[in-house]
Amino acid sequence: MYDLIIKNVRIIDGTSTPWYRGWVAVQDGTIVRVDTSSPPTQAARELVDGNDCCLAPGFIDIHSHSDTTLPEYPLAESRILQGITTEIGGDCGLSVAPVSPDPEKKKQLRDYVGDLDYTWESVGGYLDFLEARGTSVNFGTAVGHGTIRLAVMGFEARKAAPAELNAMGRLLRESLRDGAFCLSSGLIYPPGCYADAEELTALCRELLPYGAFYETHMRDEGEGVVEALQEALTVSRQSGAPLQVAHHKVIRKSVWQVHCKTTIALIDQARRQGMDVKVDQYPYSASATTLDSNAPLWAFEGGVDGLLARLRDPETRARINAEANASHVGRWGDIFVSHAATEKNQWTVGKSILEIARCRGVDPADACFDLVLEERCRVGEINYGMCEEDIAYIMCQPYTMIGSDGNAASLNYPGQPHPRWYGTFPRVIARYCREKALFPLETAIFKMTGLPASRLGLPDRGLIKPGFRADLVLFDYDTIEDTPTYQSPKQPCRGIRRVYVNGVLTALDGVHTGAKSGQILRKGH
């Protein structure tokens, strides 16, 4: 007898082939039968009538930062309630491992990446820690280049010495043996921004024996995005490592509808030449990061403590303000505070830097960096910087997959995070597939399931096929909606009827069941 049969559904199997009506049987957390005939009666402990809804593989979020939040939010409502059953954290060069045993470097990591205990030193140790706690989602991780560099060099803004590069290579190999899926870089963030292409190429060569890829938050996503992509392609070409362009976008109004045509042309050319280049994307016109990212990169040497000391020094502060104001002409009004750690600054959440500057009677740069000082960098931003035409153009590319760039969180998470944390995947279906008709539903599901599973090398997830894990999402195509908004992000998405993780019902009609049936994923294990 089967554990579960879901009948009377439109099966969208994750391969991009046309949907078909049928039923799916699950036993011991695995799909054991997919059939179009009438299901056998009394053949399952639980029989679910799908009422002609769509049954798809659980969505795979190839780009998240849940490694920093899963320890506190293991139910991961922000993930489960939008249909995500598998996610990869540690992106943008900032993973929570490896951790240097040196107390100062450990403090720098905690200050910059997140307030965790860091009782582990390796990627394997962190994954063991999560596994012992249990999670609702299947979780794997990248290893961050910035974190590796911090463990070896701290926040020093210089070229790595040969011995230091060797030490970084050793940490990378250890992380890959522990099951990291890729090397991620965040080249707009310190300390990764201090690395040159030579360093990145040397480290990417270490990926080849492990079948891993290089994922990069490029050095520029605005007016210099073309040059930044050319650097990423050079690193990939010279190292031989497959390239994943993280959350590809163009975030400056001055180059909207121009630069993304060039970047896509360059990617197409590289693919014709035999390079393995793919991208991921979130479907929103605003980005999100930390407010301290508005400071010039040289100000971060020495880590958070170094930045805060410079912000307190009047002469250096004047230089920081001048550079920030020059680079933010016309942009301060598009940057909104999404989170502040202390109670006294909760009034700033949801307000733009210009609004805060007017309230405080100060210059916009002072409004920004006063908050950074008061919150010790624990303050987030949402930045309205992209256009819909560019989003649609990038999303239509056959090698573009979906990644939220969000975090595991609860429905009562503090602050006002980006709605991508809670609504990314239903938004692609509702807005770009159903309303804008950019591509068929089968293509949308492929971008969320089969394509990222292939990129990650997951042998038994991302498809509805016998032998694959029973990560499943049952949804109503006509009513699915990304209800999370910028003003009210922390809500379940509409139209998702059921979510199963490894065959266990984890969400029912927008309510988490409390199940923690997720598995920790280790590449090659």
Side-chain angles (χ1 to χ4, degrees):
M1 180 175 282
Y2 301 124
D3 293 332
L4 169 69
I5 287 178
I6 307 176
K7 68 172 186 175
N8 188 22
V9 290
R10 304 182 185 204
I11 298 172
I12 308 171
D13 66 10
T15 65
S16 79
T17 56
W19 67 267
Y20 56 93
R21 285 188 173 86
W23 56 276
V24 173
V26 175
Q27 182 71 38
D28 296 328
T30 298
I31 298 168
V32 293
R33 188 171 175 183
V34 182
D35 208 322
T36 57
S37 64
S38 297
T41 59
Q42 298 180 337
R45 294 180 178 85
E46 182 182 6
L47 181 64
V48 173
D49 188 337
N51 295 310
D52 206 33
C53 284
C54 298
L55 186 69
F59 304 146
I60 298 174
D61 189 347
I62 197 169
H63 187 110
S64 88
H65 295 277
S66 290
D67 48 328
T68 64
T69 54
L70 264 178
E72 186 171 357
Y73 301 100
L75 294 184
E77 290 171 281
S78 62
R79 319 277 78 200
I80 294 295
L81 298 183
Q82 63 170 300
I84 295 170
T85 58
T86 298
E87 65 175 334
I88 303 299
D91 293 296
C92 297
L94 302 171
S95 58
V96 300
V99 181
S100 170
D102 176 78
E104 177 58 28
K105 290 189 174 69
K106 184 180 289 191
K107 179 183 182 300
Q108 289 179 339
L109 184 66
R110 179 180 289 110
D111 286 346
Y112 197 60
V113 175
D115 286 321
L116 301 175
D117 290 338
Y118 298 100
T119 54
W120 54 86
E121 290 189 1
S122 65
V123 165
Y126 171 71
L127 294 177
D128 290 343
F129 167 82
L130 273 189
E131 196 163 43
R133 291 178 61 84
T135 66
S136 287
V137 290
N138 305 308
F139 178 82
T141 190
V143 58
H145 161 257
T147 299
I148 287 175
R149 199 176 211 270
L150 190 159
V152 173
M153 300 176 60
F155 279 80
E156 295 192 33
R158 60 175 176 81
K159 185 179 180 67
E164 291 167 331
L165 188 56
N166 288 338
M168 285 190 269
R170 184 172 62 254
L171 287 176
L172 175 56
R173 291 190 297 273
E174 291 172 0
S175 300
L176 295 167
R177 286 194 292 268
D178 283 347
F181 281 84
C182 65
L183 173 68
S184 73
S185 69
L187 301 182
I188 72 163
Y189 302 117
C193 63
Y194 303 137
D196 58 17
E198 182 182 351
E199 177 180 316
L200 296 167
T201 300
L203 292 175
C204 283
R205 290 192 181 106
E206 303 282 2
L207 302 174
L208 303 184
Y210 300 90
F213 58 93
Y214 172 52
E215 178 245 57
T216 181
H217 179 152
M218 297 186 295
R219 208 175 290 273
D220 195 317
E221 294 179 315
E223 293 177 346
V225 66
V226 172
E227 292 77 13
L229 176 64
Q230 289 171 326
E231 178 191 42
L233 290 170
T234 297
V235 169
S236 175
R237 186 178 292 109
Q238 293 183 350
S239 67
L243 174 64
Q244 182 83 8
V245 179
H247 43 58
H248 188 28
K249 57 185 175 288
V250 176
I251 202 165
R252 286 296 176 88
K253 190 177 296 186
S254 58
V255 290
W256 282 356
Q257 300 185 63
V258 176
H259 276 15
C260 82
K261 304 292 175 63
T262 303
T263 59
I264 292 301
L266 287 170
I267 292 170
D268 287 341
Q269 180 186 53
R271 289 174 58 84
R272 286 194 300 270
Q273 294 170 347
M275 292 178 64
D276 182 356
V277 186
K278 297 181 177 70
V279 310
D280 55 70
Q281 178 193 40
Y282 52 80
Y284 294 90
S285 59
S287 61
T289 186
T290 52
L291 197 64
D292 56 36
S293 65
N294 295 287
L297 295 176
W298 57 263
F300 284 88
E301 188 168 8
V304 167
D305 286 344
L307 172 65
L308 298 180
R310 292 182 182 93
L311 291 176
R312 292 188 191 100
D313 177 72
E315 184 177 341
T316 311
R317 173 66 171 268
R319 180 185 169 194
I320 291 172
N321 280 12
E323 290 191 25
N325 279 328
S327 64
H328 285 65
V329 173
R331 294 177 56 214
W332 287 120
D334 294 330
I335 298 173
F336 289 72
V337 173
S338 62
H339 170 77
T342 67
E343 184 62 32
K344 73 173 185 177
N345 284 320
Q346 292 308 304
W347 68 273
T348 67
V349 174
K351 290 183 171 59
S352 74
I353 297 301
L354 276 185
E355 290 176 290
I356 296 166
R358 292 191 191 107
C359 289
R360 288 188 160 182
V362 297
D363 174 85
D366 274 325
C368 174
F369 298 126
D370 284 347
L371 272 175
V372 170
L373 264 176
E374 292 166 15
E375 300 296 315
R376 284 193 56 83
C377 294
R378 292 291 186 258
V379 55
E381 73 167 42
I382 289 176
N383 180 2
Y384 293 87
M386 291 94 80
C387 71
E388 279 293 327
E389 292 81 0
D390 286 356
I391 293 169
Y393 186 73
I394 293 169
M395 192 179 294
C396 282
Q397 304 309 315
Y399 43 76
T400 298
M401 59 198 78
I402 307 304
S404 74
D405 203 9
N407 293 54
S410 66
L411 295 179
N412 60 358
Y413 183 85
Q416 195 168 303
H418 196 297
R420 69 191 185 190
W421 287 30
Y422 296 84
T424 290
F425 288 78
R427 182 175 177 83
V428 171
I429 297 172
R431 180 175 178 83
Y432 293 94
C433 176
R434 188 181 66 215
E435 296 173 15
K436 291 182 175 290
L438 292 186
F439 33 65
L441 178 57
E442 294 88 345
T443 299
I445 298 301
F446 174 65
K447 289 175 175 291
M448 304 173 178
T449 59
L451 185 56
S454 174
R455 168 56 100 195
L456 293 165
L458 297 175
D460 57 356
R461 300 184 195 272
L463 302 178
I464 297 180
K465 299 286 186 185
F468 277 64
R469 300 300 294 172
D471 298 334
L472 300 166
V473 179
L474 182 70
F475 65 92
D476 184 337
Y477 177 66
D478 293 327
T479 63
I480 191 170
E481 197 72 42
D482 56 309
T483 45
T485 64
Y486 290 102
Q487 293 73 34
S488 182
K490 296 174 288 187
Q491 29 181 338
C493 291
R494 186 181 301 122
I496 296 181
R497 304 302 180 204
R498 290 172 174 255
V499 179
Y500 291 87
V501 181
N502 296 304
V504 176
L505 182 64
T506 307
L508 177 62
D509 292 326
V511 178
H512 200 295
T513 66
K516 292 198 294 186
S517 60
Q519 296 181 349
I520 299 303
L521 307 178
R522 299 170 174 86
K523 184 174 178 62
H525 290 240

